[in-house]
Amino acid sequence: MSSFTRRGFLAAGAASAGLGSYAAPGNTPGFRLTDVTAAAGLDFRHNSGAFGGKFLPETMGAGCAFLDYDCDGWLDILLVNGSDWNTRGADRKPQRSTMHLYRNNRDGTFTDVTQRAGLALEMYGLGVTVADYDNDGFPDIYVTAVGQNRLFHNTGRGTFVDVTARAGLGGRTAFSTSALWFDYNRDGLLDLFVCNYVRWSPEHDVFCSVDGKNKSYCTPEAYHGSTCWLFRNRGNGTFEDVTAKSGIFDASSKALGVAMLDDDRDGWPDLFVANDTQPNRLYRNLRNGTFEDVAVQTGVAFSEDGRARAGMGVDTADFDNSGIAGIAITNFDDEMIALYKQGRGGIYTDTSMRAGIGRASRSRLGFGCTFVDMDLDGRLDLLAANGHLDESVRNIAGNHGYAQPPHLFLNDGRGLFHDVAGQAGGGFATPKVGRGLAYGDFNRDGAPDILMTTNQGPAYLYRNEVTNGNRSIRVLLRGTKSNRDAIGAIVRVTTPDGIQSRMVRTGSSYLSQSELALTFGIGRQEKASRVAIEWPSGAGQEFRDIRPGGYTCTEGAGLVALGGY
């Protein structure tokens, strides 16, 4: 089987020429990015293990996460890493590579604490999701991999313990990608959803070739699919595999991204799964421990012309402040980013072309994506990391390159998005082999900063400085009857400009996770007239006349202002 033929990779000039990015009016997007990677001390390089054997996982990259592992109120950074294969080229010296955990020094710099935290474990890591699964007050880490995934329990003393086997999650191997924590049965305990890609191992690698002689990377069509997994939290530190009984089992899926939303707004969490060359899935929670895939009938399984696209990353959010979450999906080049908006009868329409995103993204191969309000104007913008799969793509006439510029689509509030990546500064628009993408306010100035990973390359940390005078309200929730991280809670903030809604979620993007605190840009308004919280337990709280700044709220208690904002 020839490589990449499924998605037109070898068709010279398949994507239309001259599809440049849209530019917002003027030259100042209202914020400025600065590359602070080196200054922050993030000395990291991803190891894909590539040695010439053209193993499929080498194209995937790895994810990243913002988390507060030591609960000091400052965001730390976790970067997942691959490893060398047991089969190595004769000219390649073996190198040891592990994930890296960086502790925030609260002064703009980070310290690598991987070794002392107990996370210097060599594995072919891909994705990460972080949450307090046992409600003990400290966030735990789940890392997906080629082989055995790992669950690391936070001891609360700055270290982690591998509890994979003890938790009942060991003894199974797969090609796992994205994952997320969520409370699907609303019992106050976080359950675990894991995406699996295809049935692949080094021992069963398929020989694919473009010219019939030299090995190349295969498309996922060369391999059988693999079902995602759902694990129910028993509440005693162990998990039960409920994949089959929940209705999630699907051996045809080739899942790369997953995001949580409340599709039918019934207060129960649903899941959207982005599949590569297979129809996407929208698992609607039936509130009895089972799910139903409604992707076809709601219009999100296929493209507008009825084709299964190469879904990579996904995010869900109320990007138009309608109170209803939409869906963004990154796809292969010539397939465009999908931007689904829900209409009457719960049917979604892909508004990507109409919104200005489709044409601008058609020539890019997207991976991580996330909705985030970069300029704090109260409207969610859309970021996407881009990059091709094989560096030999640069030899194909008409192709747009291996390293590709990321997208930063600014939401104008009138249904249009403008790509201002080139105006954001800090070298953000420099072409990269982008993969993972996450946001978090690491310096506690009220504005979300950006973390991006690349395949076989460095990670990038971009500090965001809002220059337009806009401010934000940031809310970090703590559940009591609900799960402690309040995953699934919805917060609505009302100002004279309208109502914004956000959900507390893990996972999303591609192999990555953003911070759990919610940021609401309120422009230059002096206060929000109302902040309303819907907890996963069903309880509700409401607060009036909230000024800009950072706050925590414990379920059933008041809103407490944080210093330093």
Side-chain angles (χ1 to χ4, degrees):
M1 177 178 179
S2 63
S3 178
F4 301 118
T5 54
R6 156 65 177 83
R7 290 163 285 188
F9 176 76
L10 297 178
S16 299
L19 296 183
S21 63
Y22 289 83
N27 296 314
T28 55
F31 62 95
R32 180 171 55 247
L33 296 181
T34 302
D35 182 352
V36 296
T37 311
L42 299 187
D43 183 16
F44 174 86
R45 186 172 183 85
H46 173 252
N47 176 24
S48 72
F51 66 99
K54 299 288 185 177
F55 285 174
L56 181 60
E58 296 167 3
T59 66
M60 309 301 288
C64 56
F66 279 110
L67 73 162
D68 183 8
Y69 86 97
D70 52 1
C71 298
D72 66 348
W74 293 77
L75 287 176
D76 311 301
I77 288 173
L78 182 71
L79 299 172
V80 181
N81 210 348
S83 66
D84 281 358
W85 304 105
N86 290 330
T87 304
R88 297 185 176 95
D91 60 345
R92 179 181 173 92
K93 293 182 179 180
Q95 60 176 337
R96 176 173 170 76
S97 52
T98 72
M99 72 185 89
H100 282 251
L101 177 64
Y102 294 93
R103 179 177 56 81
N104 194 327
N105 297 326
R106 312 185 196 184
D107 61 0
T109 68
F110 293 78
T111 298
D112 189 336
V113 295
T114 311
Q115 193 72 40
R116 77 176 75 159
L119 294 177
L121 175 69
E122 194 167 18
M123 60 189 293
Y124 200 98
L126 289 173
V128 60
T129 184
V130 182
D132 181 6
Y133 75 86
D134 57 352
N135 293 329
D136 68 350
F138 295 93
D140 310 297
I141 298 171
Y142 185 80
V143 179
T144 66
V146 176
Q148 176 67 65
N149 301 337
R150 301 284 179 178
L151 176 61
F152 297 97
H153 180 255
N154 193 329
T155 66
R157 299 185 296 274
T159 60
F160 292 83
V161 176
D162 185 345
V163 296
T164 309
R166 188 191 319 166
L169 298 173
R172 67 186 76 213
T173 59
F175 187 161
S176 298
T177 53
S178 296
L180 60 73
W181 297 98
F182 75 134
D183 184 5
Y184 79 92
N185 53 4
R186 289 179 40 171
D187 64 353
L189 301 168
L190 289 176
D191 311 298
L192 178 64
F193 185 92
V194 182
C195 291
N196 290 313
Y197 191 36
V198 295
R199 291 165 59 186
W200 179 93
S201 68
E203 297 75 25
H204 297 92
D205 183 59
V206 174
F207 182 88
C208 294
S209 176
V210 175
D211 57 13
K213 298 178 182 179
N214 299 302
K215 193 174 189 297
S216 58
Y217 290 116
C218 295
T219 73
E221 293 166 310
Y223 298 96
H224 293 292
S226 183
T227 184
C228 298
W229 294 329
L230 178 60
F231 298 101
R232 183 183 66 85
N233 190 336
R234 292 191 178 104
N236 61 358
T238 68
F239 293 82
E240 175 193 2
D241 186 343
V242 295
T243 305
K245 70 170 68 174
S246 68
I248 292 292
F249 184 86
D250 174 18
S252 68
S253 278
K254 299 177 181 180
L256 289 177
V258 60
M260 186 177 78
L261 72 165
D262 187 0
D263 163 69
D264 51 358
R265 294 177 297 287
D266 64 351
W268 291 72
D270 310 306
L271 293 178
F272 183 91
V273 176
N275 274 324
D276 188 0
T277 72
Q278 291 292 311
N280 298 319
R281 309 294 184 195
L282 177 53
Y283 291 113
R284 182 171 290 166
N285 195 328
L286 301 182
R287 299 181 284 181
N288 60 3
T290 67
F291 292 80
E292 177 187 7
D293 178 19
V294 297
V296 173
Q297 53 263 51
T298 56
V300 293
F302 304 98
S303 66
E304 294 289 280
D305 56 0
R307 294 184 301 111
R309 289 186 274 194
M312 309 288 188
V314 59
D315 200 13
T316 59
D318 178 14
F319 64 83
D320 59 355
N321 291 339
S322 65
I324 303 173
I327 305 170
I329 311 162
T330 53
N331 295 295
F332 212 79
D333 58 1
D334 206 33
E335 291 185 339
M336 305 183 296
I337 293 175
L339 184 68
Y340 286 104
K341 185 176 177 179
Q342 192 184 96
R344 292 182 180 179
I347 306 300
Y348 291 85
T349 301
D350 188 350
T351 64
S352 182
M353 287 297 290
R354 188 162 60 249
I357 288 174
R359 184 167 179 254
S361 63
R362 187 174 180 180
S363 62
R364 309 281 171 80
L365 198 167
F367 279 90
C369 64
T370 186
F371 287 107
V372 55
D373 187 358
M374 294 297 294
D375 56 354
L376 302 182
D377 65 351
R379 301 186 289 263
L380 287 173
D381 312 306
L382 178 63
L383 277 69
N386 301 309
H388 225 291
L389 303 183
D390 188 348
E391 57 187 349
S392 65
V393 69
R394 62 172 61 98
N395 300 322
I396 299 175
N399 197 273
H400 295 272
Y402 181 46
Q404 300 179 355
H407 289 303
L408 202 168
F409 290 108
L410 209 60
N411 186 342
D412 72 358
R414 298 185 295 273
L416 293 176
F417 289 79
H418 308 274
D419 192 348
V420 299
Q423 302 161 244
F428 182 77
T430 302
K432 305 172 182 67
V433 189
R435 294 296 187 261
L437 184 68
Y439 67 83
D441 181 12
F442 80 87
N443 58 351
R444 290 181 46 150
D445 66 351
D449 308 300
I450 302 300
L451 182 64
M452 184 187 303
T453 67
T454 63
N455 193 33
Q456 196 68 15
Y460 293 89
L461 178 63
Y462 293 97
R463 186 182 66 224
N464 180 17
E465 179 186 357
V466 175
T467 59
N468 57 12
N470 291 348
R471 294 179 294 177
S472 67
I473 292 174
R474 287 174 47 80
V475 183
L476 180 64
L477 302 183
R478 289 286 177 247
T480 51
K481 185 177 180 181
S482 304
N483 66 85
R484 187 180 183 277
D485 286 327
I487 306 302
I490 295 177
V491 179
R492 294 181 175 86
V493 169
T494 303
T495 71
D497 296 325
I499 302 175
Q500 304 173 53
S501 65
R502 308 271 192 276
M503 177 185 282
V504 181
R505 298 170 302 133
T506 65
S508 300
S509 188
Y510 171 77
L511 308 179
S512 302
Q513 181 169 311
S514 298
E515 65 175 338
L516 297 183
L518 302 177
T519 298
F520 297 85
I522 62 169
R524 299 188 184 184
Q525 300 292 340
E526 292 297 319
K527 62 183 179 181
S529 60
R530 179 174 180 263
V531 174
I533 304 171
E534 293 180 13
W535 296 91
S537 65
Q541 289 182 264
E542 185 175 315
F543 305 94
R544 297 283 181 174
D545 298 330
I546 304 302
R547 300 186 64 81
Y551 299 86
T552 61
C553 184
T554 300
E555 187 174 10
L559 205 62
V560 178
L562 296 173
Y565 281 90

